[in-house]
């Protein structure tokens, strides 16, 4: 199936989870994740099954002052 992670196309097997997508994308903590604009808690990444066309946003915190 095809999804988007940070507006980049990513192909995953059917029934892939959000954790699978994050691993394939190479996301490294710390980060927050939203699927189709909805925040997904870290504890739910392995349980959240993705569907074709889902849009995943991975956001890293930015330090500054």
């Amino acid at each position: 199936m095809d999804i988007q992670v940070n507006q980049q196309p990513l192909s995953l097997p059917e029934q892939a989870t959000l954790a699978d997508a994050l691993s394939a994308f190479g996301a490294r903590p710390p980060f927050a994740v939203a699927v189709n604009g909805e925040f997904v808690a870290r504890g739910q990444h392995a349980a959240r099954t993705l569907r074709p066309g889902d849009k995943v946003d991975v956001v890293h915190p930015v330090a500054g002052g």
Side-chain angles (χ1 to χ4, degrees), residues 20-45:
D20 296 331
L22 293 170
S23 177
F25 182 69
R28 295 182 184 208
F31 56 79
V33 180
V35 176
N36 300 323
E38 184 176 320
F39 172 76
V40 180
R42 185 172 312 168
Q44 297 299 313
H45 292 181

Side-chain angles (χ1 to χ4, degrees), residues 10-28:
L10 182 67
S11 290
L12 296 170
E14 295 296 321
Q15 301 301 315
T17 65
L18 179 55
D20 296 331
L22 293 170
S23 177
F25 182 69
R28 295 182 184 208

Side-chain angles (χ1 to χ4, degrees), residues 28-63:
R28 295 182 184 208
F31 56 79
V33 180
V35 176
N36 300 323
E38 184 176 320
F39 172 76
V40 180
R42 185 172 312 168
Q44 297 299 313
H45 292 181
R48 175 66 159 82
T49 303
L50 296 172
R51 288 177 248 150
D54 276 349
K55 292 181 172 59
V56 178
D57 294 303
V58 181
V59 181
H60 296 275
V62 176

